[in-house]
Amino acid sequence: MTDVTDATFNADVLERSNTVPVVVDLWAPWCGPCKTLGPIIERVVANTNGRVELAKVNVDENPQTAQAFQVQGIPAVYALKDGQVVDGFVGAQGEPEVQAFIDRLLPTEEENAVEALLAAGDEQSLLQVLQLEPDNAAAVVGLAAILVERSEHESALELLQRIPETPESRHVAALARRGGAAPEQADITDKLDALLTRVKGDEAVRQEFVDLLELLGPESELTAEYRRRLSSALY
């Protein structure tokens, strides 16, 4: 259980909910039903052994958080996953109702199976994930990377089309289009300089330029420099 404030809400609730479901209990010291509900929620969440976490928010001391939830009355309880409210209720509830609320947040058998297969990370496991969830981004990127390693570049690019672009998918796609190997940094800059004069009006050249920036990586100072130079060349 964590006592959350307006200042810590983003980190303790929104960001944390990307890893584990977070239940937010909005309460106040003067609220009688809150005193009844609070221990029930704490007990039920504790029994999940970390698979669900509880964040307690005193609405009197943290008005910004209360306003964000548009609280009309307390106790008010909300469940968040991936930064989004997925369930909630207002008013005191008995332990069976609270237990059912928490149970809905727990991973299903299929979700547990997918997590275990992703952790294994081998080709057969990733293929099994895609049988269960054809657009699972982690499995798509992982399997595409395996295909690139064995030079099945077109198959990797076709697979990556299943999902929206992410930094990870762009990197694997760039490797696939470059034949699976990243040039040395000095070679990359030489190639970028040579391509820069031809990027305008040539989509293939522009794609090659962008792929080389992907292989340099966002942490490289050269990436920012060459992105600026690309913008100048195009516009």
Side-chain angles (χ1 to χ4, degrees), residues 4 8-18 20 22 24 55 57 69 80 83:
V4 173
T8 64
F9 180 81
N10 280 347
D12 289 345
V13 175
L14 293 181
E15 293 178 13
R16 184 60 179 157
S17 72
N18 290 319
V20 63
V22 177
V24 179
V57 179
F69 283 103
L80 285 85

Side-chain angles (χ1 to χ4, degrees), residues 17 26 35-37 42-43 51 55 62 66 70 79 85 96 115 127-128 135 137 144 177-178 189 204 207 210-211 219:
S17 72
L26 298 147
K35 296 176 182 178
T36 301
L37 179 63
E42 292 169 19
R43 181 166 58 252
R51 291 181 294 167
N62 301 282
Q70 299 181 334
V85 174
E115 184 177 345
L127 285 169
Q128 289 182 58
D135 59 350
R177 283 188 290 264
R178 295 292 306 172
T189 54
Q207 184 64 69
V210 171
D211 285 343
E219 68 282 351

Side-chain angles (χ1 to χ4, degrees), residues 49-65:
N49 297 315
R51 291 181 294 167
V52 177
E53 295 185 359
L54 177 62
K56 304 273 287 186
V57 179
N58 183 332
V59 296
D60 287 348
E61 296 177 354
N62 301 282
Q64 292 179 14
T65 299

